[in-house]
């Protein structure tokens, strides 16, 4: 593309596109990078500059950009059937994908309800849990337990069970109230603990106390298993999710696992719940389900939950929820091709060395003066930058240190997107060891370049 074309694209973008989670006043004063091509782990802008995609197109890309096998599956499906409704009809790709998902998810999840993004997948789970108890003759069970620092999407139900004031507080008048439990953000433990194991146990004790009080009115608990993503890549202590499952069983509360970000290999296992050896009552999936190609989501549940919605037509037990593009055949074809690649390329097996290398590089960052904590779960990591590592004093948010580090990384050929002053490491799972080294070299150099200016 010629520079003049880039100029036109930037002008059109600033004039017409409203970007998510972006202060547009600042954006309109910038020269945005316009991406026009993807090549494996790399994205290429309109001027030919290449950037290693360090956040996997915001946590979605699995096998790299423009993967031949997925491209071909999509092209073949376009020539066969572009879309057919699931209202009164089935389609082959949605059927086959549902079967594959049942085969690979934790045992007992046997029903698949399709939608088109992670927020709606969670929203469906919340509505399923609510209606389940109505059919069980317990109409008083209408509330939900959620966690501090949680993020489950941006539709109203998903925001209601979220716990990040920066994103959610402005919408509070629109939300339904929830019972909020402490989450194990051990680096900044609200109980004053500095030992992660004790911090996690304190959270569990408080969760149990809340359940003892409120179980009679609680329909479900919503949790991001193993890692709270948008909250800051906050990794939960080993056994935390398993204990939450036990508490939900004891107090007769449906457990809703939001695996939108952590599913499909991100934690080193296909699903985070698998690492803890548990099956939730409801599981929300999206992002990596199509390897980052197309909007698709699935809310999975058990036979027990499904059976509560069965009845004669006049009983009105139907789950009244749906989306126009539910089970879209093209998106399902992409998802099926992605699952084939997991098997054919033994992708999960290939992660062991990458996870080990990432661990080494992250641990080395602890020696950097303004790195407060590094957190890792599989191929997911967060690097929390602080003004003072000894006291854990954060950088003032208005200094935008995380943003400055990411802009510096862009100059070094790496695209990153921070969470405040937390640098996110979330590359495509297909990244090579050499590319992973390039990514971590760029991150370390950028952190040093920006934070050393503030010593």
């Amino acid at each position: 593309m010629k520079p003049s074309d880039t100029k036109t694209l930037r002008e059109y973008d600033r004039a017409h596109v409203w970007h998510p989670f972006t202060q547009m006043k600042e954006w309109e004063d910038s020269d945005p990078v316009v991406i026009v091509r993807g090549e494996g782990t790399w994205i290429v802008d309109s001027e030919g500059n290449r950037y290693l995609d360090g956040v996997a197109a915001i946590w979605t890309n699995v096998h790299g950009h423009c993967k031949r096998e997925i491209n071909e599956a999509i092209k073949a499906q376009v020539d066969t059937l572009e879309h057919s409704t699931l209202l009164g009809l089935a389609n082959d790709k949605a059927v086959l994908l549902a079967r594959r998902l049942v085969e690979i998810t934790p045992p007992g999840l046997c029903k698949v309800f399709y939608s088109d993004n992670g927020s709606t997948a969670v929203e469906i789970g919340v509505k399923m849990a609510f209606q389940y108890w109505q059919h069980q003759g317990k109409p008083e069970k209408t509330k939900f337990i959620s966690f501090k620092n949680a993020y489950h999407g941006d539709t109203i139900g998903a925001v209601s069970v979220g716990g990040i004031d920066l994103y959610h507080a402005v919408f509070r008048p629109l939300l339904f109230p929830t019972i909020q439990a402490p989450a194990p953000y051990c680096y900044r433990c609200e109980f004053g603990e500095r030992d992660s194991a004790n911090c996690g146990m304190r959270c569990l004790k408080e969760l149990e106390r809340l359940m003892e009080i409120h179980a009679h009115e609680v329909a479900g608990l919503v949790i991001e298993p193993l890692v709270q993503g948008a909250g800051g890549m906050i990794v939960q202590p080993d056994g935390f999710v398993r204990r939450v499952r036990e508490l939900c069983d004891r107090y007769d509360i449906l457990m809703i696992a939001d695996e939108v970000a952590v599913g499909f290999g991100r934690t080193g296992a296909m699903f985070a719940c698998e690492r803890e050896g548990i099956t939730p009552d409801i599981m929300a999936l999206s992002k990596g389900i199509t390897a980052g190609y197309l909007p698709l989501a699935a809310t999975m549940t058990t036979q027990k939950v499904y059976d509560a919605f069965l009845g004669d037509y006049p009983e009105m037990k139907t789950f009244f929820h749906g989306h126009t593009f539910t089970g879209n055949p093209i998106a399902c074809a992409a998802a099926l091709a992605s699952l084939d690649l997991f098997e054919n390329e033994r992708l999960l097996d290939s992660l062991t060395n990458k996870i080990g290398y990432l661990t080494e590089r992250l641990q080395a960052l602890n020696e950097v003066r303004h790195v407060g904590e590094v957190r890792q779960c599989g191929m997911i990591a967060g690097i929390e930058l602080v003004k003072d590592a000894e006291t854990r004093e954060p950088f003032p948010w208005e200094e935008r240190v995380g943003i400055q580090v990411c802009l510096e990384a862009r100059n070094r050929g790496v695209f990153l997107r921070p969470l405040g002053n937390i640098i996110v490491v979330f590359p495509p799972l297909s990244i090579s060891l050499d590319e992973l080294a390039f990514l971590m070299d760029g991150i370390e150099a950028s952190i040093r370049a920006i934070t050393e200016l503030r010593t």
Side-chain angles (χ1 to χ4, degrees):
M1 215 173 229
K2 299 177 181 178
S4 59
D5 294 327
T6 296
K7 182 179 179 181
T8 300
L9 288 169
R10 286 172 173 167
E11 288 175 353
Y12 287 178
D13 179 274
R14 288 189 294 256
H16 304 301
V17 180
W18 193 341
H19 289 260
F21 291 98
T22 301
Q23 176 43 254
M24 295 306 296
K25 183 177 184 297
E26 293 181 358
W27 184 268
E28 289 178 6
D29 293 333
S30 71
D31 285 326
V33 173
V34 181
I35 300 301
V36 297
R37 192 166 73 253
E39 300 172 354
T41 311
W42 301 80
I43 48 179
V44 184
D45 72 14
S46 55
E47 296 180 314
N49 299 307
R50 293 165 56 84
Y51 309 91
L52 193 148
D53 188 353
V55 292
I58 303 301
W59 317 352
T60 63
N61 194 283
V62 175
H63 307 288
H65 295 276
C66 293
K67 184 71 172 178
R68 177 181 58 81
E69 291 86 346
I70 302 178
N71 291 357
E72 291 177 352
I74 290 172
K75 292 172 185 176
Q77 186 59 44
V78 168
D79 287 335
T80 305
L81 175 66
E82 81 298 343
H83 183 60
S84 175
T85 181
L86 289 192
L87 280 73
L89 293 172
N91 75 67
D92 58 342
K93 293 301 186 295
V95 170
L96 293 171
L97 177 59
R99 178 66 178 182
R100 292 284 292 276
L101 291 174
V102 168
E103 291 172 345
I104 65 174
T105 50
L109 296 172
C110 60
K111 300 295 180 179
V112 179
F113 196 101
Y114 287 114
S115 59
D116 48 20
N117 65 76
S119 181
T120 56
V122 171
E123 194 106 358
I124 288 164
V126 167
K127 291 175 72 174
M128 276 183 182
F130 178 92
Q131 192 173 343
Y132 170 83
W133 291 110
Q134 307 304 300
H135 297 330
Q136 294 296 98
K138 296 184 178 181
E140 69 279 6
K141 289 176 75 72
T142 61
K143 294 186 178 180
F144 289 84
I145 294 175
S146 58
F147 288 91
K148 294 180 181 178
N149 306 313
Y151 176 84
H152 299 288
D154 297 316
T155 53
I156 293 302
V159 171
S160 294
V161 294
I164 304 175
D165 281 349
L166 176 66
Y167 303 148
H168 303 147
V170 67
F171 301 110
R172 191 158 287 127
L174 299 175
L175 310 181
F176 60 77
T178 63
I179 300 162
Q180 195 168 85
Y185 188 179
C186 300
Y187 183 67
R188 300 195 180 279
C189 177
E190 65 179 86
F191 302 106
E193 299 281 358
R194 291 180 75 93
D195 177 83
S196 62
N198 290 336
C199 179
M201 290 304 296
R202 291 288 296 274
C203 288
L204 287 169
K205 288 177 181 177
E206 177 61 14
L207 176 62
E208 184 171 5
R209 187 188 73 81
L210 291 171
M211 287 186 173
E212 286 176 350
I213 297 170
H214 297 286
H216 68 283
E217 60 181 345
V218 173
L221 172 147
V222 188
I223 184 172
E224 299 164 89
L226 295 188
V227 182
Q228 286 188 310
M233 298 300 158
I234 302 169
V235 178
Q236 297 152 6
D238 290 343
F240 182 82
V241 176
R242 186 163 56 251
R243 183 66 175 139
V244 170
R245 171 73 273 184
E246 293 168 359
L247 289 171
C248 286
D249 287 339
R250 181 190 303 176
Y251 291 99
D252 204 16
I253 293 169
L254 294 181
M255 180 180 179
I256 303 169
D258 175 357
E259 291 230 17
V260 169
V262 296
F264 297 98
R266 296 294 174 184
T267 66
M270 185 61 89
F271 299 102
C273 287
E274 183 182 337
R275 284 188 46 162
E276 291 278 284
I278 65 104
T279 298
D281 299 289
I282 297 170
M283 176 186 281
L285 303 173
S286 192
K287 288 194 182 293
I289 194 170
T290 65
Y293 267 74
L294 291 164
L296 181 69
T299 304
M300 301 189 63
T301 193
T302 62
Q303 191 71 42
K304 179 180 109 172
V305 172
Y306 174 81
D307 284 348
F309 292 81
L310 301 181
D312 293 330
Y313 191 79
E315 294 181 85
M316 301 293 285
K317 286 188 172 183
T318 299
F319 184 47
F320 290 105
H321 188 101
H323 297 266
T324 301
F325 287 98
T326 290
N328 174 261
I330 301 174
C332 290
L336 286 164
S338 174
L339 293 179
D340 286 342
L341 286 167
F342 266 101
E343 293 182 9
N344 297 338
E345 298 188 350
R346 301 180 63 84
L347 184 58
L348 292 180
D349 292 340
S350 76
L351 296 181
T352 302
N353 290 338
K354 298 175 190 178
I355 292 170
Y357 177 79
L358 181 58
T359 301
E360 292 177 9
R361 294 299 303 267
L362 288 168
Q363 289 176 347
L365 287 176
N366 283 312
E367 303 303 316
V368 178
R369 181 175 178 181
H370 290 285
V371 171
E373 184 184 48
V374 293
R375 300 184 281 270
Q376 180 190 10
C377 182
M379 291 294 288
I380 301 171
I383 305 161
E384 184 160 347
L385 305 178
V386 294
K387 185 175 182 179
D388 188 311
E390 181 63 29
T391 65
R392 305 185 182 184
E393 178 187 357
F395 281 112
W397 66 269
E398 58 268 25
E399 290 187 14
R400 307 196 310 167
V401 172
I403 292 174
Q404 296 303 315
V405 169
C406 292
L407 291 174
E408 177 67 23
R410 189 184 301 176
N411 294 332
R412 300 170 186 270
V414 172
F415 176 74
L416 302 171
R417 175 82 177 178
L419 293 165
N421 290 327
I422 296 162
I423 305 305
V424 174
V425 185
F426 208 111
L429 297 184
S430 60
I431 190 171
S432 69
L433 280 172
D434 286 344
E435 289 170 332
L436 192 55
F438 182 89
L439 171 63
M440 295 309 299
D441 287 346
I443 289 173
E444 180 173 353
S446 299
I447 289 173
R448 290 183 183 276
I450 297 301
T451 60
E452 286 174 3
L453 297 175
R454 290 166 168 79
T455 57

